[in-house]
Amino acid sequence: MLFLSLRRVVPTLTLLALLTFIVTSPARAGDFYIDSQQGCDEQDGRTPQTAWRTLARINQDGAIAPGDTVRLRRGLEYRGGLVPVSGEPNKPVTYSAYGEGHAPIILQSLNLNRQEDWQEVGGNLWVTREAKTTVLGEAPDFLAGNWSIYCEQGASAQYRSTEQNDSTRFEIDVEQGQGQGNHIQWINNPFSITRGQTYRLSFNASSSIPCKPNVKLMKSGAPWTSYGNIVLEELELDETLRRHEVIIQAETTAQDARLTFYLGAMPSGAKMVFEDFKAESIDVDALQFGPDVGNIILDHSRAAFKRWTREELTAQDDFWYERKTGRVWYYSQENPGKRYASVEAAIMRHIVNISGAHDVIFTDLALRYGAAHGFGGSNVERVVIRNCDISWIGGGDQYAEGGEDRRVRFGNGVEFWAQAHACIVEFCHIWEVYDAALTNQGSGENQQIDITYRNNFIWNCEYSFEYWNRDEKSRTEKIRFIDNVCLRAGYGWGHEQRPDKNGRCIMFYKNTAQTTDFVVNGNIFVDATESVIRHDSRWTPEQVKLDLNHYWQSNQEIPLAVFGSDNNLVIYQKDFNRFTWNLLWDGKMHCEFRGRVLKRNADEMIQKEMKNRAY
């Protein structure tokens, strides 16, 4: 076990903490079992012998109640995301493991290792097979709600509808445009959907300004939980009125579904037209990638290189996701399914979507191969993430547009976005993450209170810990980042592909929230590509306390610490003896002894832990 071996390095790991780490709850009447190999979703899920088979069966299932435990069989993989059911104070819902073998692995990816998944198109280019659809009939309940316009951040728009030839024509006028895709939303809700059903929505559309609207299926009200996956989407609008379609797969059965068109950063005076909507129930034989493929992991050990156009595919393992057709293009000297034993295409959805979750415990799970966040969501309360292994996370196109002006890739191991209260992340392994291993951050008025990250082992992530909150009315209070081991920030797969290389163990961006009682204490930070620590000069000692941490930067030409957006104070390892940390904050920077020991042992520590990985 990792933290038994680290006890010599991190003395604050008490026996009590270790006992908390290894204790498991006995089986009881409220247990549910998932077995992706031998289970069946038509069974009751109450015993290992009558286990369910899929994550879709347990997501928001009405049978799971506060106090229950959902157990995934060890040694197996579970495809698709997890949407937890919330518990109650002192009666959490627990997601855990049972049986023997490695931790159950939850994958938000498709494995493309079959040769028949690929078609050769010449010039060392391969493309995933084309989707085939079968129409099952009309779906009159889908999109049966009322239409409305929602605007925010100063944007404004109006729409009018006219009936013509047994269909409805909608004309949208943008009165005041704004800069982001979510500032103008065209909404239909509420209506009914059925779990597992695939819907094809087709319509005519045009826009006076070329644009690429996004579409999402979600809950009609807070916490705006996702209700489905966008399987195929072809929405590139211009002045020509022509037919478009969106294919959506429902993840739950609900009566309060909402379809939201995020109309994009439309300028004032822009006009859009939608007409002749048709909803059908279909069966799709397709590789369902959704809005983006953010990463492709080869043989569980290295990443392919994401490109943004077909023309950029020029070297072995370059790939491009063609969003409008839902197909992956890949440069390879031979069929990728033949060249590699495993080709995992990470899909841009959270592996565990914790939006709106409260009173939930996750323990003894492994999360892999998702192009958004490992654990991610907003409006989270009393959530515990313990003894989980989180790896190969992120890389998705955040705005799913692909244009150079809005091209931002993202993905964190654990992210508490905006509202979060009384959450703990402890004893986790987090590695190979595009952005931050751990973060709480937000924009807009929110409160982030009482969040603790402790005793985690982190390596090869762009940031080990990232924080910012940018609304003056927001409040961040009682944040604890303590007794963590953070190695090699910026050495991960994502750093090579990032246009904005920024490897830091601690990254504190500009922060305007009311921030108090923020403690970074007892951690070990070793090596980063840009600097071990960086934070904005507007931080003050009253806001954050860095104390009793151990630091080491092997390359003495790379700063140990950078303060201020303009690098107005830089400390190098070779100059450290000229400074004392007291010049900057209360407390002292303990660098020499611990840093040198860890530098010598960092490779050995990581290699030892990698032997315990499932693959």
Side-chain angles (χ1 to χ4, degrees):
M1 299 295 293
L2 167 64
F3 288 99
L4 292 176
S5 65
L6 282 182
R7 185 166 171 75
R8 297 188 301 272
V9 179
V10 187
T12 49
L13 293 181
T14 64
L15 178 61
L16 178 60
L18 289 170
L19 289 175
T20 302
F21 173 55
I22 62 176
V23 167
T24 58
S25 301
R28 54 187 176 75
D31 285 1
F32 292 86
Y33 295 85
I34 315 295
D35 183 333
S36 63
Q37 188 175 77
Q38 300 177 5
C40 175
D41 285 348
E42 303 306 317
Q43 299 178 145
D44 63 14
R46 295 286 186 167
T47 70
Q49 293 73 33
T50 60
W52 292 331
R53 189 179 186 90
T54 67
L55 295 179
R57 180 66 178 83
I58 66 174
N59 286 344
Q60 300 179 330
D61 189 278
I64 300 170
D68 288 344
T69 297
V70 178
R71 300 181 183 274
L72 283 66
R73 182 181 164 190
R74 291 179 176 273
L76 300 177
E77 297 176 349
Y78 299 82
R79 299 268 175 186
L82 177 62
V83 182
V85 178
S86 291
E88 296 174 354
N90 301 316
K91 294 181 67 178
V93 173
T94 300
Y95 291 83
S96 186
Y98 76 99
E100 298 180 352
H102 62 70
I105 301 173
I106 302 177
L107 302 167
Q108 192 62 279
S109 60
L110 296 180
N111 193 352
L112 304 178
N113 66 342
R114 301 186 310 164
Q115 294 186 44
E116 55 265 35
D117 289 334
W118 298 95
Q119 300 173 6
E120 188 174 10
V121 294
N124 289 334
L125 286 181
W126 303 78
V127 64
T128 52
R129 56 186 172 84
E130 189 175 3
K132 297 180 181 179
T133 61
T134 302
V135 178
L136 304 178
E138 293 187 2
D141 291 339
F142 192 85
L143 215 67
N146 298 315
W147 288 99
S148 62
I149 283 277
Y150 168 77
C151 301
E152 60 183 34
Q153 300 296 320
S156 63
Q158 300 290 332
Y159 86 95
R160 59 184 179 275
S161 62
T162 57
E163 300 296 326
Q164 56 180 26
N165 300 327
D166 297 325
S167 69
T168 304
R169 178 184 175 94
F170 300 91
E171 298 181 14
I172 299 173
D173 296 313
V174 178
E175 299 172 335
Q176 180 62 52
Q178 280 297 338
Q180 294 188 16
N182 63 327
H183 289 164
I184 301 177
Q185 303 172 24
W186 191 38
I187 299 163
N188 184 281
N189 74 304
F191 57 88
S192 302
I193 55 174
T194 302
R195 184 182 64 199
Q197 180 61 64
T198 301
Y199 303 92
R200 179 168 65 189
L201 181 66
S202 58
F203 49 88
N204 297 327
S206 67
S207 173
S208 62
I209 303 297
C211 63
K212 298 179 180 180
N214 292 328
V215 182
K216 291 185 179 180
L217 182 67
M218 64 181 72
K219 180 179 175 64
S220 286
W224 317 109
T225 305
S226 172
Y227 273 176
N229 300 322
I230 307 300
V231 179
L232 294 175
E233 180 179 5
E234 193 277 297
L235 281 184
E236 296 186 13
L237 309 186
D238 55 28
E239 292 182 342
T240 303
L241 186 67
R242 62 176 181 272
R243 201 73 177 166
H244 301 266
E245 68 178 36
V246 179
I247 297 179
I248 306 170
Q249 187 176 61
E251 291 183 324
T252 186
T253 297
Q255 309 298 316
D256 62 343
R258 160 176 159 166
L259 194 73
T260 303
F261 287 75
Y262 294 90
L263 298 183
M266 300 297 290
S268 303
K271 297 180 180 294
M272 306 179 75
V273 172
F274 293 86
E275 67 177 20
D276 194 18
F277 279 90
K278 183 178 182 180
E280 299 170 299
S281 175
I282 65 173
D283 180 65
V284 181
D285 176 20
L287 296 168
Q288 299 178 8
F289 296 111
D292 191 33
V293 173
N295 188 13
I296 295 179
I297 302 92
L298 306 170
D299 290 342
H300 311 293
S301 61
R302 63 188 184 88
F305 205 111
K306 183 178 177 67
R307 305 297 184 180
W308 298 97
T309 66
R310 179 176 171 179
E311 291 69 31
E312 293 177 85
L313 304 180
T314 59
Q316 179 66 44
D317 302 321
D318 285 350
F319 81 93
W320 167 57
Y321 181 61
E322 188 178 20
R323 181 167 171 247
K324 69 178 182 180
T325 64
R327 304 174 80 184
V328 173
W329 291 74
Y330 201 97
Y331 189 100
S332 179
Q333 295 178 5
E334 61 182 326
N335 189 314
K338 179 181 179 181
R339 189 179 183 93
Y340 301 105
S342 173
V343 183
E344 292 284 349
I347 298 170
M348 199 180 76
R349 291 190 287 268
H350 303 334
I351 299 177
V352 180
N353 189 335
I354 56 175
S355 289
H358 58 86
D359 302 286
V360 186
I361 298 173
F362 303 94
T363 182
D364 302 314
L365 305 175
L367 278 60
R368 297 204 176 160
Y369 310 149
H373 303 319
F375 291 90
S378 60
N379 298 301
V380 179
E381 190 169 8
R382 295 182 299 278
V383 167
V384 176
I385 302 169
R386 176 183 297 134
N387 192 26
C388 290
D389 186 279
I390 305 166
S391 62
W392 296 100
I393 302 298
D397 180 5
Q398 185 169 3
Y399 301 102
E401 294 176 358
E404 292 185 4
D405 57 334
R406 297 289 290 165
R407 186 175 296 164
V408 178
R409 297 173 74 182
F410 78 121
N412 301 312
V414 178
E415 178 185 284
F416 300 113
W417 174 259
Q419 295 288 128
H421 180 238
C423 297
I424 299 173
V425 183
E426 60 182 0
F427 300 104
C428 293
H429 301 75
I430 308 174
W431 47 291
E432 295 294 353
V433 177
Y434 186 85
D435 271 337
L438 298 169
T439 182
N440 54 284
Q441 55 186 249
S443 62
E445 187 173 350
N446 66 78
Q447 295 187 351
Q448 301 179 0
I449 301 174
D450 192 13
I451 304 173
T452 298
Y453 312 92
R454 63 192 178 200
N455 302 329
N456 299 290
F457 186 45
I458 299 166
W459 72 95
N460 287 18
C461 303
E462 190 71 4
Y463 313 128
S464 302
F465 180 45
E466 176 190 7
Y467 166 75
W468 55 271
N469 199 358
R470 293 181 188 154
D471 192 300
E472 290 78 2
K473 297 179 181 179
S474 295
R475 184 159 63 104
T476 302
E477 179 181 313
K478 197 178 179 182
I479 309 299
R480 301 287 184 264
F481 189 82
I482 57 177
D483 299 337
N484 303 285
V485 176
C486 305
L487 310 178
R488 292 181 173 173
Y491 285 81
W493 71 270
H495 187 79
E496 179 185 359
Q497 301 187 29
R498 293 180 72 100
D500 55 341
K501 300 183 189 304
N502 210 359
R504 324 272 179 168
C505 290
I506 294 291
M507 171 56 88
F508 287 164
Y509 280 107
K510 177 183 177 182
N511 176 62
T512 59
Q514 303 170 45
T515 304
T516 58
D517 197 13
F518 200 126
V519 174
V520 179
N521 180 274
N523 303 283
I524 295 168
F525 302 117
V526 177
D527 285 341
T529 56
E530 267 59 50
S531 67
V532 171
I533 295 177
R534 177 172 179 174
H535 62 69
D536 191 271
S537 58
R538 283 158 282 209
W539 283 82
T540 68
E542 290 74 29
Q543 289 181 307
V544 62
K545 183 177 181 64
L546 288 86
D547 195 14
L548 300 177
N549 299 294
H550 306 287
Y551 305 79
W552 186 258
Q553 182 71 296
S554 299
N555 184 343
Q556 297 190 11
E557 299 303 316
I558 298 176
L560 186 71
V562 175
F563 298 87
S565 56
D566 299 323
N567 296 349
N568 55 9
L569 180 55
V570 178
I571 299 176
Y572 289 89
Q573 189 81 46
K574 60 184 179 181
D575 297 327
F576 179 76
N577 290 332
R578 303 180 191 177
F579 296 88
T580 65
W581 199 240
N582 287 323
L583 293 175
L584 307 172
W585 303 108
D586 293 333
K588 294 183 178 180
M589 181 184 278
H590 297 272
C591 171
E592 295 293 327
F593 174 72
R594 289 295 185 192
R596 285 177 177 167
V597 170
L598 275 171
K599 170 54 188 168
R600 186 171 65 246
N601 294 335
D603 290 347
E604 180 181 342
M605 292 166 64
I606 292 175
Q607 289 171 8
K608 181 177 180 180
E609 289 311 309
M610 289 300 294
K611 291 180 181 179
N612 297 326
R613 303 305 96 207
Y615 297 126

